[in-house]
Every structure is written in C-alpha cells, then in structure tokens.
Amino acid sequence: MTMIVRKLQLVRDRITTACVAAGRDPASVHLLAVSKTFDADAVIEAMSGGQRAFGENYIQEGVDKILVVRKWEDEGLRLSSSRPSEWHCIGPIQSNKTRLVAEHFDWVQSVDRLKIAQRLSEQRPPHLPPLQVCLQVNIDGGATKSGVTPQDVQALAAEVARLPRLQLRGLMSIPEPAPDFVAACAVHKRAADLFDQINRAGVLPQVMDTLSMGMTADLEAAIHAGSTMVRVGTAIFGKR
C-alpha cells in the first residue's frame, strides 16, 4: 500500500466517523481529491486506491494532467471494469479559459457569474454529457474569496439552470478558516440553509443535490452541517 493510498483510507475513515457522529449515511458524502500542483503519477497512485474524482484549481495545469491520465486510462481501462476518472474545476475561471474547461472537465464548481456560465454552455462540445455545475457562493463575505453573494445566488441559479449543455447540481463554498468546530459548523450551516432555501423556492427545473463544502481542516464540521462533497488535498497528497 502506497503513502497516498494509506492517506486516502485515513480520510475515508474521517468521513465515516463524521457521518456517524452526525447521524448520516457515509455514502451520502463524496470525496473529491484535490490534486492541484501534484503530477499525473500522484493521481494514478490515488486511482489505484479506488479514488476517481479529482479537483483542479489551475485550469491549464489541470487540462495537461487530464490528458495524461486519460491516455493512461485508455490503455488500461479497456481490460478492466474500473470507472474512468472524473475531473472537477474548482478554481476561478477567466473568460479566456472557459473553452478549456468546457472541453475537458466533467464538473465545474466555481461558477459565480452568468457570463461564465453562458460561455461554458456555448462551448461545451455536443458529443460530451452536460457539464455539471455548482455555483460558488461567498457565504461569509470574505474579501479575498470569489463567489456570488448569498443575496444574489438564487437569481443566478435560476438563470444558469436554463442554459443548454449545463446541469446545475448545487452550491460550493470556501469560507474563511474558523477558530473552532462550533464556529465552522455555524458558517457551513449558513450555506446549507441557503441550499435548502433555493431548493424550496421552486425556481429550478430540478432539485439541486450537491453541497460542496469542507476541506482537510474542517471536513467534520462541514459534514455535520450537511455537506455532500468534501474537497481534500493536503491530507491525501501532502503539503504543496
């Protein structure tokens, strides 16, 4: 068992423990392994431990890695029953990078403007499945954080949900680090309440099912608050 595979198992154990403590089914929380700055070999090592979903913050780096990993998969998956890798863009997106995202990623979790969503919709190749989308919400008003404001996210969700070649799946948040578990739970609960509020409002053609929040330091608090996807990098791949 390699170091990355051992660390993956430790993270999965943390997720299971947190779910049990919160009275939730561990299968209700998905693990996104954040592989930014680590090479394709590290991703392939994680895949040997059963991990399939990977998050990338830097678009060009992510695309380069996707191409290497998918070539490796093409050579090996034909002979196995393994699921292919799934790639999530979780970093900020500039207008000149939307085509790369639309052509290579499976998910994008960092949409915070209608213009970006429209470009992704227009540039998503017709032979690919719809691009799965989460809206990034700046839940605590952090000055250095990207994201739509909580006041504006419902209107943006309604607009994005109408775009072709996209499927709106939910919300993503990256709050500022909290001083303790209780404070972290409180800020994550604000995102969970917003998620529920939008679903109850009936403005979307289908209910959102993904609430992406929680990282290495605060995944337990995020799960306690209702996260369905945690984004973990350091605890799996090590410090950058």
Side-chain angles (χ1 to χ4, degrees):
M1 186 182 294
T2 69
M3 182 66 73
I4 287 176
V5 173
R6 283 197 294 270
K7 288 181 175 181
L8 262 174
Q9 189 55 56
L10 290 173
V11 171
R12 291 175 182 141
D13 290 345
R14 284 178 63 186
I15 291 171
T16 298
T17 300
C19 285
V20 170
R24 298 180 58 189
D25 180 355
S28 68
V29 179
H30 301 282
L31 172 60
L32 184 68
V34 179
S35 46
K36 68 176 182 180
T37 76
F38 291 92
D39 61 18
D41 288 342
V43 170
I44 290 169
E45 188 176 332
M47 291 182 71
S48 74
Q51 183 63 27
R52 289 294 178 270
F54 297 92
E56 291 288 328
N57 290 64
Y58 310 120
I59 293 168
Q60 187 60 62
E61 175 197 326
V63 170
D64 293 343
K65 205 174 304 180
I66 289 168
L67 293 175
V68 172
V69 172
R70 286 187 171 156
K71 181 179 179 182
W72 175 83
E73 290 179 297
D74 286 343
E75 294 169 353
L77 286 183
R78 298 190 194 100
L79 305 177
S80 73
S81 58
S82 298
R83 292 181 294 110
S85 57
E86 175 183 281
W87 293 88
H88 296 233
C89 175
I90 59 175
I93 305 172
Q94 297 176 334
S95 295
N96 63 348
K97 294 294 179 67
T98 53
R99 185 174 297 278
L100 284 173
V101 175
E103 291 180 347
H104 295 281
F105 284 85
D106 305 295
W107 283 66
V108 54
Q109 297 196 22
S110 46
V111 171
D112 61 2
R113 288 170 288 157
L114 181 58
K115 175 185 176 182
I116 295 298
Q118 289 169 332
R119 290 178 63 88
L120 291 169
S121 173
E122 293 163 1
Q123 294 167 348
R124 182 67 169 174
H127 69 279
L128 293 178
L131 186 62
Q132 309 298 293
V133 172
C134 290
L135 304 181
Q136 182 173 351
V137 57
N138 187 350
I139 196 64
D140 57 355
T144 63
K145 299 292 184 182
S146 301
V148 60
T149 66
Q151 294 77 19
D152 294 334
V153 68
Q154 181 170 304
L156 179 60
E159 294 279 0
V160 171
R162 288 196 286 264
L163 294 173
R165 310 298 304 144
L166 303 183
Q167 182 175 358
L168 179 63
R169 295 294 297 271
L171 304 182
M172 183 267 268
S173 68
I174 313 174
E176 297 289 342
D180 54 44
F181 180 81
V182 172
C185 285
V187 71
H188 286 311
K189 183 66 163 53
R190 287 162 59 187
D193 289 345
L194 184 61
F195 177 84
D196 292 339
Q197 174 188 317
I198 296 170
N199 274 335
R200 289 195 305 267
V203 298
L204 305 178
Q206 63 183 45
V207 171
M208 299 186 297
D209 62 5
T210 301
L211 182 55
S212 174
M213 58 186 192
M215 298 186 287
T216 293
D218 64 347
L219 69 85
E220 287 85 0
I223 289 170
H224 183 84
S227 174
T228 68
M229 182 180 293
V230 292
R231 309 178 306 273
V232 179
T234 302
I236 296 171
F237 296 105
K239 292 185 178 180
R240 295 176 176 86

